[in-house]
Amino acid sequence: MTEFDFGALLTFWGRKYDDILALVGEHLLVVALALTFATIIGVGVGLLVWDRPIGRSLAVTSAAVILTIPSLALLAAMIPIFGLGWIPTLIGLTLYSLLPIIRNTVVGLREVAPAIMESAKGMGMSPVKVLMSVQLPMAWPVIVTGVRVAAQLTIGIAAIGAYVGGPGLGQMIFQGLSSLGSRNALNYALTGTVGVILLALLVDAIFNTITKYTTSKGLRA
């Protein structure tokens, strides 16, 4: 077994600095793209089904079923159709991000007090106007929390994307695991793992800031 040597790890980081930064950039990019697609789809679905019991149940259950599929199995199943690389990774991450976004969109919209919506209608607002101008802004903190949870899931699962030639820090983790016993195997694996953890903390802090500055003062706890 290769023993951990912190000095050797620092030397490894210095030598692989450019490669590490490139992989961090790829990891962030594929996560950002997946979250963007998932947010558009998830919030859109939530807006369509929040007040429809059957549609709501079907949407949440379908997204939950997708999340139960092992990531390796899902990514491997897409290889014959989409090949290797970015596309299967991006599709897989988007699918895995849907549940918390759909669920939180539905919950956020349903938590708006009926009296508030009735007051808005009494002011002459149409149902669509009430939804977009009253409910959606009030549900925003809950929706952002769903996206925040999806981001944490996606950052971790993105590392598995290296299995299908996907981008990101997972490449270092897999390289380390595939070369166990070699001089830098542990350095590769540790670098990829620590990088994923740090990215998760960074993105969580970013979403915390977004929530703070995009939520109406009247809705802040």
Side-chain angles (χ1 to χ4, degrees):
M1 178 181 288
T2 303
E3 294 184 1
F4 174 67
D5 184 336
F6 187 67
L9 180 61
L10 292 178
T11 301
F12 176 82
W13 286 350
R15 194 172 67 251
K16 295 288 185 178
Y17 181 76
D18 291 338
D19 293 336
I20 294 171
L21 283 184
L23 292 176
V24 168
E26 291 180 358
H27 206 103
L28 283 173
L29 180 57
V30 74
V31 167
L33 289 173
L35 281 178
T36 299
F37 295 143
T39 300
I40 293 171
I41 297 170
V43 173
V45 170
L47 289 171
L48 289 174
V49 305
W50 73 272
D51 60 345
R52 296 176 171 83
I54 295 177
R56 182 171 67 240
S57 178
L58 182 61
V60 173
T61 301
S62 299
V65 169
I66 292 173
L67 197 58
T68 64
I69 302 173
S71 52
L72 283 177
L74 180 62
L75 292 171
M78 289 191 286
I79 292 177
I81 303 173
F82 301 107
L84 299 172
W86 280 72
I87 294 179
T89 303
L90 185 56
I91 293 175
L93 295 180
T94 301
L95 292 174
Y96 281 124
S97 300
L98 289 176
L99 177 60
I101 297 175
I102 294 175
R103 183 177 57 198
N104 277 42
T105 300
V106 168
V107 170
L109 292 173
R110 285 173 55 82
E111 283 186 347
V112 178
I116 294 177
M117 293 188 288
E118 288 300 323
S119 297
K121 291 177 182 177
M123 295 172 62
M125 291 187 180
S126 66
V128 174
K129 182 71 173 178
V130 172
L131 178 63
M132 301 306 295
S133 300
V134 178
Q135 280 182 278
L136 194 56
M138 294 187 71
W140 177 248
V142 180
I143 295 173
V144 174
T145 299
V147 180
R148 184 178 179 178
V149 172
Q152 299 302 308
L153 283 171
T154 305
I155 289 171
I157 297 175
I160 308 298
Y163 177 75
V164 293
L169 290 165
Q171 293 182 21
M172 282 200 153
I173 297 175
F174 273 79
Q175 185 168 346
L177 294 177
S178 65
S179 59
L180 286 176
S182 66
R183 179 181 178 183
N184 283 314
L186 186 58
N187 292 332
Y188 274 109
L190 279 175
T191 300
T193 303
V194 171
V196 169
I197 294 172
L198 292 178
L199 281 183
L201 293 174
L202 172 63
V203 171
D204 191 63
I206 290 173
F207 271 100
N208 186 47
T209 302
I210 291 174
T211 303
K212 179 179 179 180
Y213 288 103
T214 61
T215 300
S216 172
K217 292 182 178 180
L219 296 176
R220 295 179 189 173

